[in-house]
Amino acid sequence: MDNDGKFLRKAIDLAVAGIRKGGGPFAAIITLNDNIVAAAGNRVVLTGDPTAHAEILAIREAALKLKTHNLSRCVLYTTCEPCPMCLGAIYWAGIKKVVYASDRHDAAEAGFSDNSIYKEVILEPSNREIEFLQLNEPDAKKVFAIWEEYENRILY
């Protein structure tokens, strides 16, 4: 078995162990240079935290251990195609490779459908089911200018 298969198998085993402890049927492992740096099972129900998806928890753990938000040299192995929230986190973390087993259709058949979210994400905020109200606050863009100034001071 190659490393991709080996690490994916470990993620599946972690998901099964997590289910037995009251977690959801998802798990994720992050590797760097073929070494596991983070592993997590879904803890949404256990913690009451809707963001406690396996991929999010693994990303947090890897970033903490590696002391960086840039995980571009890492590989994420997950038991299922990441949901839209996790997909966003993967892009923000810079992860360049994701290996997964089940897909979103398998998850939907098991009662974990993200179809409504996929449809909403592409819409303009004013067309979404959730009400989004943008207020014209004059100082809102100031935080970006302060950030730019801070970044330039640190980088140069």
Side-chain angles (χ1 to χ4, degrees), residues 16-24 42-47:
V16 171
I19 290 169
R20 292 188 175 127
K21 294 177 184 173
N42 180 288
R43 298 186 54 81
V44 170
V45 174
L46 289 171
T47 62

Side-chain angles (χ1 to χ4, degrees), residues 47-121:
T47 62
D49 177 356
T51 69
H53 289 205
E55 296 91 340
I56 299 288
L57 296 175
I59 288 169
R60 289 175 182 163
E61 182 181 334
L64 189 63
K65 282 185 181 173
L66 298 173
K67 296 180 174 46
T68 181
H69 66 279
N70 181 349
L71 303 180
S72 60
R73 296 174 35 232
C74 296
V75 178
L76 184 137
Y77 298 87
T78 181
T79 56
C80 189
E81 177 184 359
C83 76
M85 176 181 68
C86 294
L87 181 62
I90 290 163
Y91 274 97
W92 279 110
I95 294 170
K96 304 283 189 237
K97 181 179 179 181
V98 175
V99 178
Y100 65 96
S102 299
D103 65 19
R104 70 177 86 171
H105 308 291
D106 299 322
E109 284 180 27
F112 298 94
S113 178
D114 296 319
N115 288 338
S116 62
I117 300 171
Y118 282 109
K119 290 176 185 173
E120 288 278 306
V121 164

Side-chain angles (χ1 to χ4, degrees), residues 31-46:
T31 64
L32 175 63
N33 300 325
D34 288 331
N35 294 304
I36 295 174
V37 293
N42 180 288
R43 298 186 54 81
V44 170
V45 174
L46 289 171

Side-chain angles (χ1 to χ4, degrees), residues 14 22 38 56 58 70 146 156:
L14 182 61
I56 299 288
N70 181 349
I146 293 168
Y156 304 106

